[in-house]
Amino acid sequence: MKQARSKTVDIDHARVSSDLIDWFLQNARDLPWRRTLDPYAIWVSEIMLQQTQVKTVIPYWEHWMKQLPTVARLAAAKEETLLKLWEGLGYYSRVRNLQKAAREIVNDGGGTFPEQPEAIRALPGVGRYTSGAIASIAFNQPEPILDGNVIRVLSRVFAVAGDPKEKQVNERLWALAKELVVRTKAGVANVKVGALVFAGQRAALNQGMMELGATVCLPTKPECERCPLRGHCRARVAGKTGLYPQSAKRAKSSARWFQAFVVTKAGKFLIRRRDEGLVNSGFWEFPGAEVADANADPSKAFRELFGWTPDQIEAFGQLRHSITRYRFHQSVHRVEWPVRRRMRLPESEWVTLEEIRRRPFYSPQLRLLKELE
Ligand code: SF4
């Protein structure tokens, strides 16, 4: 009896690389950080793009680069300025690490952005992916990158079995990314394509893989017919693109409940600054607390925060958002503060709506602010 043999493809790394680079140079989206080879500007874009979509990042990055165009300006910026520039992007440890790293570059490196991958990697907030991205995109070094888009492309082209989050599988994907980039010649430096500029072929290869994953090799419906790697791709040839990457199902998210209070007195609002050591520290918020469930009594939460119970607590609205494995439900209440009663909440201030707009607020609080406006 004849045995069924699955179709396989011999992969020529140099061809994969050159086909991808040719395609990328003709199809690269015009993104503002692709118009520069300034490692500082590329670094800021890479940090902003972690966990955040390109279209969201563009206006943030443009505004940031106008306000803080150099490492030295970032190193010297006030915390409140930084938080305001990052307001709404979330994952705020990113912006704190940016400034820590900028201060190291200014104090230890005389303000010159490091070029060697190890030195880039040693900066606060810079991991394996980001150091590879900066080293390759700004300096055309043969350093690999591996993000969600690249994982998808490599898993399919090389038909990599197993969950990419598992260490062994992840290391295999890093090794494939490394092999592709080290087999790619440096090529002509600083290639201009319209307004865009690429440091060389290695830069274009890495950016091309990310671009392919973001625009063609899509998670549920890869557009193989217009893919430059269709002739190399083992998953496509086997008709099994849906099987890769073989990510394990995510754990179910769990719900958490919060109550927030919009407290007003004579036309002003009570806000407080989050303490050092807390998530979102340094940002302002409407005071609130985590509660047991959706049925928790708001007057109890109010009393625990402020030490007294108001006669009237008015329901104002409900907000929902999700972060990583949590679904947050926030019920918001309005309370009028008696003019003569003293306020003892630490780090709090009575401010107008105009003043609130000048202070940095973190993402879910911004939505509450919009509701108020
Ligand atoms: S051929 Fe299809 S599955 Fe393979 S890399 Fe291209 S788009 Fe992705």
Side-chain angles (χ1 to χ4, degrees):
M1 200 169 79
K2 269 190 187 172
Q3 285 222 318
R5 290 177 61 198
S6 61
K7 292 180 191 170
T8 187
V9 182
D10 288 329
I11 296 178
D12 175 341
H13 290 73
R15 287 271 320 274
V16 168
S17 172
S18 66
D19 287 353
L20 190 54
I21 291 168
D22 290 348
W23 170 84
F24 178 62
L25 293 179
Q26 288 169 35
N27 291 280
R29 288 171 294 172
D30 182 359
L31 304 177
W33 45 88
R34 288 183 177 163
R35 293 172 168 229
T36 174
L37 291 179
D38 174 5
Y40 166 68
I42 290 165
W43 171 45
V44 173
S45 74
E46 286 298 335
I47 300 291
M48 284 186 174
L49 285 163
Q50 290 168 9
Q51 326 271 357
T52 312
Q53 291 188 339
V54 166
K55 68 174 192 299
T56 307
V57 167
I58 290 172
Y60 277 94
W61 183 86
E62 287 176 330
H63 188 47
W64 176 287
M65 292 307 296
K66 274 192 198 123
Q67 302 297 313
L68 305 174
T70 61
V71 178
R73 291 281 293 276
L74 166 57
K78 285 187 185 152
E79 185 193 31
E80 195 126 318
T81 307
L82 289 185
L83 297 184
K84 191 71 193 165
L85 285 168
W86 208 269
E87 180 186 79
L89 272 179
Y91 300 96
Y92 297 102
S93 58
R94 294 184 292 174
V95 69
R96 294 179 196 286
N97 280 329
L98 269 172
Q99 188 173 52
K100 259 194 224 162
R103 288 181 173 163
E104 279 186 16
I105 294 169
V106 169
N107 296 334
D108 307 339
T112 304
F113 202 94
E115 199 167 320
Q116 292 311 313
E118 305 73 39
I120 301 173
R121 179 101 186 251
L123 295 169
V126 173
R128 195 173 179 183
Y129 164 79
T130 309
S131 66
I134 299 168
S136 61
I137 296 171
F139 302 113
N140 199 33
Q141 298 199 28
E143 286 297 312
I145 50 157
L146 192 72
D147 69 351
N149 286 321
V150 178
I151 285 174
R152 195 160 53 253
V153 171
L154 293 178
S155 299
R156 286 172 174 169
V157 171
F158 293 90
V160 177
D163 181 357
K165 284 208 169 70
E166 278 173 20
K167 197 166 185 298
Q168 257 190 332
V169 181
N170 198 266
E171 283 308 323
R172 167 140 165 71
L173 289 163
W174 273 107
L176 288 169
K178 176 96 185 162
E179 204 168 342
L180 279 173
V181 76
V182 296
R183 289 199 193 193
T184 301
K185 293 201 170 77
V188 179
N190 305 347
V191 178
K192 288 210 160 188
V193 181
L196 310 184
V197 58
F198 302 102
Q201 297 223 68
R202 291 152 179 166
L205 170 79
N206 280 354
Q207 290 179 89
M209 272 198 292
M210 289 195 276
E211 191 82 339
L212 193 74
T215 62
V216 176
C217 193
L218 302 170
T220 48
K221 282 195 182 151
E223 297 176 9
C224 303
E225 290 320 303
R226 63 185 191 91
C227 176
L229 303 185
R230 63 188 175 278
H232 308 284
C233 179
R234 287 183 178 152
R236 188 198 70 84
V237 171
K240 292 180 176 169
T241 56
L243 284 188
Y244 301 95
Q246 297 178 348
S247 304
K249 278 207 173 114
R250 278 199 200 160
K252 266 195 172 172
S253 60
S254 49
R256 291 173 67 178
W257 307 89
F258 288 80
Q259 287 178 340
F261 298 97
V262 175
V263 183
T264 49
K265 183 173 85 171
K268 289 190 169 177
F269 296 85
L270 182 72
I271 58 171
R272 73 172 169 189
R273 195 165 185 270
R274 286 181 70 80
D275 269 348
E276 290 275 316
L278 291 178
V279 177
N280 302 325
S281 68
F283 280 89
W284 292 85
E285 66 178 4
F286 296 93
E290 184 160 8
V291 292
D293 55 42
N295 302 317
D297 177 6
S299 58
K300 183 169 178 275
F302 188 94
R303 192 169 55 249
E304 281 171 7
L305 268 172
F306 299 106
W308 64 286
T309 310
D311 294 337
Q312 209 183 352
I313 297 184
E314 182 194 333
F316 180 70
Q318 298 281 336
L319 293 172
R320 284 182 193 180
H321 69 283
S322 296
I323 298 178
T324 57
R325 57 197 181 87
Y326 294 111
R327 284 171 284 120
F328 294 95
H329 301 258
Q330 184 153 221
S331 50
V332 186
H333 307 274
R334 249 189 130 126
V335 174
E336 184 64 31
W337 191 272
V339 178
R340 290 214 174 89
R341 186 177 278 277
R342 287 189 62 191
M343 167 60 62
R344 292 196 177 88
L345 193 68
E347 295 276 329
S348 63
E349 277 182 45
W350 293 104
V351 291
T352 62
L353 206 50
E354 284 69 40
E355 180 54 33
I356 285 179
R357 288 194 199 101
R358 285 194 283 273
R359 309 270 177 110
F361 277 70
Y362 53 96
S363 307
Q365 293 278 317
L366 283 173
R367 282 172 52 208
L368 174 49
L369 195 55
K370 277 208 180 101
E371 295 289 326
L372 272 182
E373 285 170 338

